[in-house]
Amino acid sequence: MATAAPTQSLPLFYNSIEPLNLEQHGKLKVRRVDSVPEFGRTHAVPLTVDEFTLVQRHYPIVFSVGGTAVPIGLMGLNEGVNVFLDENGRSTDPNIYIPAYLRRYPFLLAKLRPDTDELSLCYDPTSGAVGEFDDGEALFDGDQPSEATKAILQFCEQFEEAGLRTTGFVEELVKSDLLMDGEVAIQPEGFDQPFVYRGFRMVDEEKVRNLRGDELRKMNQNGMLPLIFDHLFSLLQIRDVFARQMQQGKAPAAAAQPDPALV
């Protein structure tokens, strides 16, 4: 969940990163981004543990493979498929929870220099959110950040804090050896072969059941246990997401190709 620096590889959806400052942006305004087509073409979005309780009602929560595990919400089961957002990246259902990672775009906190841990408020200048607009809200009030900028900064700070909690949660899962390779087979009516989805990690429910009493007590006290249950309950949403793909004509063309990677 670490935010990339401007000179490093960019986070998902960000084409460029530019720090906000009075000299360059003192007379500019910020407005809502009307269209982010990349959102609608993305099936897996990073999550923080602070969102698990809300997310598990709508999307499956799984963990990425390769390197450090990251919790992700599946908005589709196949690469390039999103059954909750349209071609402009807007929600097709007003009751669906939108992950914070999407809501913070095009802003984020980033390190400007590798020799410091200080984070600065930055944005993606290709987003169209900041400019010399007639509408929108000013970024600065005189030589001070405006209320709109303060609100953006606060949201990004909360996101970073949640990211640290998420990193700690995943580290404890790995330390307890609770993550396993996941696999889901879905057999739709009328198909000879099931659709099999792999390429993700999940909590091993059997290992959770076999944890010692002191380990379970510790996980309950530090808040890990409810998060694990949120994750496990959310896996029931996989079949709902698949059904949405079928209804929208976005399911794989043939069950003979059963192994699309989730991440």
Side-chain angles (χ1 to χ4, degrees):
M1 220 27 96
T3 299
T7 56
Q8 299 173 355
S9 59
L10 295 171
L12 180 66
F13 303 129
Y14 293 81
N15 298 307
S16 179
I17 293 178
E18 181 177 305
L20 281 176
N21 61 79
L22 180 62
E23 182 178 353
Q24 288 180 273
H25 310 102
K27 297 182 179 180
L28 302 186
K29 293 182 178 180
V30 58
R31 65 182 181 186
R32 176 181 174 181
V33 179
D34 290 328
S35 178
V36 188
E38 292 83 1
F39 287 5
R41 296 192 293 264
T42 299
H43 70 300
V45 177
L47 302 172
T48 70
V49 291
D50 291 27
E51 304 175 272
F52 275 24
T53 299
L54 290 171
V55 170
Q56 58 96 13
R57 304 176 187 176
H58 306 286
Y59 319 122
I61 302 169
V62 298
F63 297 86
S64 62
V65 297
T68 303
V70 174
I72 52 179
L74 296 179
M75 305 183 83
L77 301 184
N78 295 87
E79 192 76 36
V81 173
N82 190 316
V83 297
F84 298 98
L85 304 180
D86 63 21
E87 65 275 6
N88 293 314
R90 292 296 172 196
S91 174
T92 57
D93 183 346
N95 297 316
I96 288 293
Y97 174 79
I98 302 299
Y101 189 94
L102 300 181
R103 288 184 283 120
R104 75 165 180 168
Y105 182 82
F107 298 94
L108 80 167
L109 293 178
K111 293 182 183 179
L112 299 184
R113 301 194 333 238
D115 59 344
T116 178
D117 289 332
E118 183 179 351
L119 299 175
S120 298
L121 182 61
C122 302
Y123 78 106
D124 182 351
T126 71
S127 66
V130 173
E132 298 180 356
F133 308 133
D134 293 331
D135 58 339
E137 298 181 85
L139 286 168
F140 290 89
D141 183 5
D143 61 354
Q144 297 298 316
S146 67
E147 291 302 315
T149 299
K150 290 178 182 178
I152 292 169
L153 176 61
Q154 182 181 38
F155 184 87
C156 290
E157 288 175 339
Q158 292 172 345
F159 185 86
E160 290 296 324
E161 292 167 359
L164 294 176
R165 289 188 287 272
T166 304
T167 298
F169 170 68
V170 172
E171 288 176 348
E172 287 298 319
L173 288 180
V174 173
K175 182 180 178 181
S176 301
D177 192 30
L178 290 180
L179 289 180
M180 59 179 282
D181 291 336
E183 179 177 312
V184 175
I186 300 177
Q187 179 70 66
E189 185 177 350
F191 286 82
D192 295 332
Q193 298 294 325
F195 291 81
V196 180
Y197 291 93
R198 303 186 181 98
F200 64 95
R201 284 185 274 186
M202 57 185 285
V203 168
D204 188 328
E205 190 171 355
E206 183 176 354
K207 285 187 177 180
V208 174
R209 288 197 298 267
N210 292 330
L211 286 172
R212 300 193 314 267
D214 59 330
E215 293 176 310
L216 280 173
R217 183 166 57 253
K218 177 184 175 182
M219 288 185 176
N220 185 48
Q221 291 174 343
N222 65 18
M224 281 189 66
L225 207 55
L227 295 173
I228 289 173
F229 289 145
D230 282 341
H231 154 64
L232 292 173
F233 290 150
S234 79
L235 298 178
L236 297 174
Q237 304 297 341
I238 289 179
R239 295 183 181 278
D240 177 68
V241 174
F242 182 84
R244 286 174 178 260
Q245 289 193 187
M246 295 289 285
Q247 292 168 0
Q248 296 177 18
K250 297 178 180 179
Q257 301 174 347
D259 299 328
L262 287 173
V263 294

